C-alpha cells in the first residue's frame, strides 16, 4: 500500500492502516456477520432436513456474502481523496475566504486546505484519519474503516441494506425456531424422537445472536434511511449538520442516480464501482 501522499495510475488499493479503532471494528464486523450466519445455519437450520431448510441456509449465506462484499468494497474504495498535485478549478471570491481559518486559505487563486496541504474542491472536507480532503465527505465510519464519500457511498448504502436484511432474517429464524421448540416441548416429553435437538450452547449462542441482530437491524436501518434522506436532498452528513443546501435545482431521482452510478438497473444492488471523474488515490 502506498503512503498517504501517494496517488496515481499505479495506485490499486485504498486501505487505512493508521486507525486501530477502525481495524478492530472491521474484525468485529466480519465476526458478527459470519458468526451469526454460522449459528443460524449450523445451529438452527441444519436439523431441518427439507428443501425449505436448504433454501433458508442458502439465503442466509447469500445475505452474509453480499453484506461482506459491500463492506469490503466500501473499505477498499478510494472515497474521493484529493491528490495534493491535482488541478482543481475553483471559482471563489476573496471575501468568501475567512483569513486565519483552520481548514482553508487562498493560494494561487485556488481554495487550499492547510492540513493536507492541497487543493480543496467544493464540498470537500478534510479527514484527519484518512489524512486527505475527501470529495462529498459524509462522515468517517470506523465500522468500514474508511470515509464515506463520493465514490463509495453506494457501497456503504448496500452494506447497511444487506446487513439490515441479514439481521432481520436472523431475527425471524430465531423467533420461529423458539416458537417451534416451545410447541414441541410437550411432544418431546411424550417421545424421545421429537424435540428441538438444540444443545444448551446453541441456545445460549442463539440468544446472544438475537440481541446483536436486533441492535444492528435497527442501527443499519436508521443509517440507511438517514443516508437516503441526505442523498435525495443532495446533502452530505456534514452539510446536513450545517444546514447547507447544495441541491442546485436537481430532482431527487438525479441525486440518487449520481450516487448509484447511473439509471436504475440490477447494478444498483451489486457493490460494483461507479464511474470515476477524478484519478484514484491510495492510502
Amino acid at each position: 500500500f502506498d503512503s498517504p501522499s501517494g496517488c496515481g495510475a499505479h495506485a490499486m488499493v485504498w486501505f487505512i492502516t493508521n486507525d486501530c479503532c477502525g481495524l478492530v471494528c472491521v474484525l468485529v464486523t466480519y465476526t458478527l456477520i459470519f458468526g451469526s450466519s454460522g449459528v443460524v445455519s449450523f445451529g438452527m437450520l441444519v436439523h431441518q432436513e427439507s428443501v425449505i431448510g436448504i433454501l433458508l441456509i442458502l439465503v442466509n449465506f447469500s445475505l452474509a456474502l453480499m453484506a461482506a462484499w459491500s463492506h469490503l468494497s466500501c473499505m477498499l474504495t478510494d472515497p474521493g481523496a484529493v491528490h495534493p498535485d491535482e488541478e482543481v478549478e475553483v471559482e471563489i471570491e476573496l471575501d468568501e475566504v475567512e483569513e486565519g481559518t483552520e481548514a482553508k486559505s487562498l493560494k494561487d487563486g485556488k481554495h487550499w486546505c492547510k492540513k493536507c496541504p492541497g487543493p480543496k474542491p467544493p464540498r470537500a472536507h478534510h479527514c484527519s484519519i484518512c489524512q486527505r480532503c475527501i470529495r462529498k465527505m459524509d462522515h468517517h465510519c470506523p465500522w468500514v474503516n474508511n470515509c464515506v464519500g463520493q465514490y463509495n457511498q453506494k457501497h456503504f448504502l448496500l452494506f447497511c441494506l444487506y446487513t439490515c436484511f441479514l439481521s432481520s432474517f436472523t431475527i425471524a429464524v430465531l423467533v420461529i425456531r423458539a416458537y417451534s421448540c416451545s410447541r414441541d416441548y410437550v411432544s418431546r416429553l411424550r417421545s424421545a424422537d421429537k424435540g428441538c435437538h438444540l444443545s444448551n450452547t446453541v441456545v445460549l449462542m442463539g440468544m446472544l445472536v438475537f440481541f446483536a441482530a436486533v441492535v444492528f437491524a435497527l442501527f443499519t436501518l436508521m443509517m440507511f434511511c438517514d443516508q437516503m434522506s441526505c442523498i435525495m436532498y443532495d446533502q452530505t452528513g456534514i452539510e446536513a449538520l450545517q444546514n447547507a443546501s447544495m441541491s442546485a435545482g436537481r430532482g431527487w431521482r438525479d441525486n440518487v442516480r449520481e450516487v448509484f452510478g447511473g439509471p436504475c438497473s440490477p447494478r444498483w444492488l451489486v457493490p460494483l464501482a461507479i464511474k470515476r471523474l477524478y484519478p484514484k488515490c491510495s492510502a
Side-chain angles (χ1 to χ4, degrees):
F1 308 115
D2 295 338
S3 64
S5 61
C7 176
H10 300 292
M12 298 301 294
V13 176
W14 170 278
F15 185 61
I16 305 299
T17 58
N18 62 341
D19 183 19
C20 294
C21 177
L23 296 175
V24 171
C25 286
V26 169
L27 180 61
V28 172
T29 298
Y30 286 111
T31 300
L32 288 173
I33 289 175
F34 292 108
S36 62
S37 296
V39 170
V40 170
S41 294
F42 302 115
M44 303 292 171
L45 296 175
V46 73
H47 302 294
Q48 304 295 318
E49 299 177 354
S50 63
V51 176
I52 295 179
I54 296 175
L55 290 176
L56 289 176
I57 291 176
L58 291 176
V59 170
N60 183 37
F61 277 111
S62 295
L63 291 174
L65 289 174
M66 291 303 297
W69 183 11
S70 300
H71 182 278
L72 198 64
S73 297
C74 187
M75 180 175 63
L76 300 182
T77 297
D78 170 11
V82 182
H83 184 248
D85 298 328
E86 186 175 324
E87 291 294 330
V88 178
E89 296 182 1
V90 180
E91 295 182 0
I92 183 168
E93 298 295 334
L94 285 172
D95 57 1
E96 291 180 2
V97 181
E98 302 176 6
E99 282 190 29
T101 55
E102 181 182 11
K104 49 192 178 183
S105 62
L106 198 66
K107 179 180 178 182
D108 298 331
K110 298 178 182 178
H111 211 179
W112 284 73
C113 176
K114 285 185 175 181
K115 295 181 179 180
C116 294
K120 191 168 187 178
R123 307 186 67 179
H125 294 273
H126 182 85
C127 176
S128 58
I129 298 176
C130 295
Q131 301 176 11
R132 294 285 180 79
C133 282
I134 307 296
R135 289 183 177 83
K136 294 185 69 175
M137 175 180 169
D138 188 89
H139 67 288
H140 186 95
C141 179
W143 291 104
V144 296
N145 190 36
N146 199 1
C147 273
V148 177
Q150 184 169 2
Y151 295 124
N152 68 346
Q153 189 171 25
K154 169 190 173 182
H155 308 324
F156 182 75
L157 283 167
L158 291 179
F159 168 63
C160 291
L161 183 65
Y162 286 121
T163 302
C164 184
F165 284 165
L166 177 62
S167 299
S168 301
F169 178 85
T170 299
I171 293 170
V173 170
L174 293 176
V175 169
I176 293 173
R177 197 76 174 98
Y179 172 76
S180 176
C181 286
S182 63
R183 187 187 61 181
D184 289 345
Y185 179 71
V186 176
S187 298
R188 185 175 57 182
L189 293 178
R190 295 175 180 175
S191 174
D193 296 330
K194 295 182 179 181
C196 286
H197 305 288
L198 298 179
S199 65
N200 292 335
T201 301
V202 172
V203 172
L204 177 60
M205 293 178 66
M207 293 174 63
L208 295 176
V209 168
F210 175 81
F211 288 113
V214 170
V215 170
F216 280 93
L218 294 175
F219 176 71
T220 52
L221 178 62
M222 289 189 295
M223 285 298 300
F224 181 83
C225 293
D226 178 69
Q227 290 282 301
M228 287 303 300
S229 175
C230 288
I231 290 171
M232 292 174 70
Y233 287 100
D234 195 19
Q235 287 182 316
T236 64
I238 295 176
E239 292 165 354
L241 290 174
Q242 296 173 345
N243 198 25
S245 177
M246 302 291 177
S247 179
R250 295 192 310 177
W252 65 269
R253 292 182 180 85
D254 292 330
N255 297 332
V256 174
R257 290 190 192 106
E258 180 183 7
V259 171
F260 283 87
C264 183
S265 72
R267 289 177 61 92
W268 280 22
L269 299 177
V270 183
L272 298 175
I274 66 173
K275 182 180 179 181
R276 303 186 65 88
L277 302 178
Y278 307 96
K280 284 185 179 181
C281 288
S282 62

